[in-house]
Amino acid sequence: ISTIKRGYLMLDELMDRAWKKGYTCHEFACEAWEKITGKELTLKKRKPIKQPESPCIVFLYNNERSDSHVGIFYQGRVIHLGVRGVQYVPLECLTIGFRKVSFYK
């Protein structure tokens, strides 16, 4: 199985996750990162990058007083967990409603 096909199969395993107390977009991003890369996600040693690279972490937020949202950019789209469940969408669709988007490798 090719790397891309294998990656999509790994994403399929995540599609049944649901937002609940103790399991939000942050925990989901950690699980997705580990499925995609085979490595545990740590924010230490992560460097900001200007443009998304597959895979990378995507942080979205409006200001310091609002909660941030996080997803994983992978194969040209972002997989993330929202209150309506898991979505794997183009970055442009996810950034609507957020003022700032940052990427980390």
Side-chain angles (χ1 to χ4, degrees):
I1 297 177
S2 72
T3 303
I4 292 173
K5 179 119 173 121
R6 188 171 50 246
Y8 284 123
L9 292 174
M10 287 184 289
L11 297 184
D12 284 345
E13 296 173 16
L14 298 169
M15 298 308 281
D16 66 345
R17 303 305 190 266
W19 187 289
K20 59 186 174 188
K21 186 176 182 177
Y23 191 85
T24 66
C25 61
H26 298 273
E27 289 80 16
F28 177 80
C30 291
E31 184 178 4
W33 184 264
E34 192 167 341
K35 285 269 188 206
I36 292 167
T37 67
K39 299 176 184 173
E40 189 173 305
L41 177 61
T42 60
L43 295 182
K44 293 177 185 179
K45 302 178 187 174
R46 296 285 165 202
K47 64 178 182 174
I49 54 177
K50 292 184 182 202
Q51 297 295 320
E53 300 173 12
S54 182
C56 73
I57 303 157
V58 181
F59 276 108
L60 306 107
Y61 48 96
N62 286 315
N63 57 48
E64 293 78 29
R65 294 174 296 190
S66 65
D67 290 336
S68 64
H69 188 62
V70 64
I72 305 297
F73 182 84
Y74 181 66
Q75 301 293 339
R77 293 174 171 246
V78 179
I79 187 165
H80 74 106
L81 176 64
V83 293
R84 291 182 272 168
V86 177
Q87 293 181 316
Y88 186 51
V89 296
L91 181 62
E92 299 79 29
C93 293
L94 186 58
T95 58
I96 296 170
F98 290 98
R99 292 184 181 188
K100 180 134 174 117
V101 179
S102 54
F103 307 101
Y104 294 85
K105 194 70 174 163

